[in-house]
Amino acid sequence: MITTRLKNDNWALHQIAERQPTPGSLIKGTMPKADYLLVLAQQLLVNTALDAALQTHASNDLISPLFDQHQLLTPYIREDLAFFEVDTDSITPNPGTRRYIDHIAAHKDQPLHLLGLHYVRLGACNGNTFVARIVRKAFNLADNQGTRYLDPFGKAQRKQWVAFKSGIDALTLDQAQQDELFAGTRAAYVLSINLDLADYKNADALLAEHGKTLDKSAFDEHHSVHVTKEMQQELTSNDQ
Ligand code: HEM
């Protein structure tokens, strides 16, 4: 199944992504609120670009069976920024955001590559359900206030994620199409990791830097170094 490849062949990049200052400090509850607002603001720019690019392919035969308007993440980020009363008119992209937006523009005519980028941001919502809990506690937020982007689907998260993955596996894709989709997922991980880096590092450079210290057994047992086996079971128990 193509989604098995998307998951397993990206395990090292997932673990490198988790190590970066932004996801790392969010899950540890050490990120100051002002920095959280900056993260949301930059994500608004990235997700606005990706939402717009995806929309142009919404009726494509490969996209329409699994794409739904509620998967567009911009509205959730806008809701969070409105809650915190952040002025969204004056946000300018930092270097990492600029790279991500440029990448989306460069691949705007490749629907499967865009689907790969989309897959990673929706997949990240799995871990972000845990991140959202920490953020709510750290900033004293009630319910899903200010955390819609991290946890947009609430209790429906797993059902929707499983349905999305099944939709991808149901597509008939030749090898080149599968590779285009995979390239999109890989690019999304690398670009996300680079959001925290001033100077861009490609996948080879990241793997050379981190490779020896990564822990495959943690991924095999519970996917994330920050998530216990019990937490992952709690998450996946909602799959059906
Ligand atoms: C502290 C940060 C993070 C934690 C705790 C975390 C945790 C998790 C967990 C528990 C899952 C679900 C595993 C399962 O289905 O059994 C998951 C899936 C996923 N995460 Fe993360 N994650 C984090 C950061 C990230 C980041 C930064 C990205 C993207 C750049 C990301 C992308 C994904 C993707 C794409 C999936 C779906 C994997 C697949 O089934 O293909 N995660 N994560």
Side-chain angles (χ1 to χ4, degrees):
M1 282 194 298
I2 179 69
T3 59
T4 307
R5 178 183 175 203
L6 303 185
K7 179 176 180 174
N8 292 345
D9 290 4
N10 284 320
W11 80 266
L13 289 178
H14 186 274
Q15 210 161 82
I16 295 169
E18 289 184 275
R19 283 182 179 186
Q20 298 312 307
T22 294
S25 61
L26 279 172
I27 192 83
K28 287 181 200 138
T30 56
M31 180 180 282
K33 192 167 169 186
D35 289 355
Y36 176 61
L37 303 191
L38 293 177
V39 169
L40 287 176
Q42 293 300 311
Q43 284 297 340
L44 178 66
L45 302 185
V46 172
N47 283 277
T48 299
L50 186 50
D51 283 355
L54 269 171
Q55 284 283 37
T56 66
H57 299 285
S59 54
N60 180 298
D61 287 347
L62 295 173
I63 304 296
S64 62
L66 34 116
F67 177 66
D68 193 285
Q69 294 295 313
H70 78 265
Q71 298 165 352
L72 298 173
L73 297 188
T74 307
Y76 306 112
I77 307 174
R78 285 205 171 278
E79 207 180 301
D80 291 341
L81 289 168
F83 171 76
F84 291 116
E85 298 179 359
V86 174
D87 171 16
T88 54
D89 291 337
S90 55
I91 304 170
T92 52
N94 67 23
T97 298
R98 184 77 265 156
R99 283 189 290 258
Y100 211 137
I101 292 173
D102 289 349
H103 182 92
I104 293 165
H107 294 81
K108 67 177 176 30
D109 298 325
Q110 291 175 258
L112 285 170
H113 189 100
L114 296 177
L115 182 63
L117 300 177
H118 186 49
Y119 177 98
V120 171
R121 68 174 179 167
L122 288 185
C125 293
N126 288 300
N128 281 341
T129 61
F130 296 114
V131 174
R133 289 183 197 175
I134 310 281
V135 168
R136 286 176 199 129
K137 201 168 162 202
F139 305 143
N140 238 330
L141 302 168
D143 306 319
N144 56 11
Q145 284 176 338
T147 52
R148 291 297 320 271
Y149 163 65
L150 291 172
D151 187 15
F153 312 120
K155 288 194 190 328
Q157 164 61 33
R158 286 302 289 192
K159 274 193 188 130
Q160 292 185 13
W161 175 240
V162 170
F164 179 72
K165 283 179 83 159
S166 304
I168 290 183
D169 285 325
L171 296 174
T172 304
L173 301 177
D174 63 26
Q175 193 57 50
Q177 290 173 313
Q178 291 187 29
D179 290 347
E180 184 185 325
L181 174 61
F182 181 73
T185 62
R186 213 151 172 84
Y189 277 111
V190 171
L191 288 159
S192 298
I193 292 165
N194 273 279
L195 287 174
D196 275 337
L197 304 179
D199 297 320
Y200 180 80
K201 291 182 184 165
N202 65 20
D204 288 345
L206 291 168
L207 292 168
E209 182 181 337
H210 294 269
K212 288 200 176 77
T213 59
L214 299 177
D215 181 358
K216 176 77 159 62
S217 61
F219 173 80
D220 289 338
E221 283 166 30
H222 39 92
H223 200 100
S224 161
V225 294
H226 299 293
V227 169
T228 62
K229 206 164 187 165
E230 290 70 30
M231 288 161 79
Q232 202 212 9
Q233 277 164 359
E234 178 200 332
L235 184 72
T236 54
S237 67
N238 295 316
D239 280 9
Q240 298 309 318

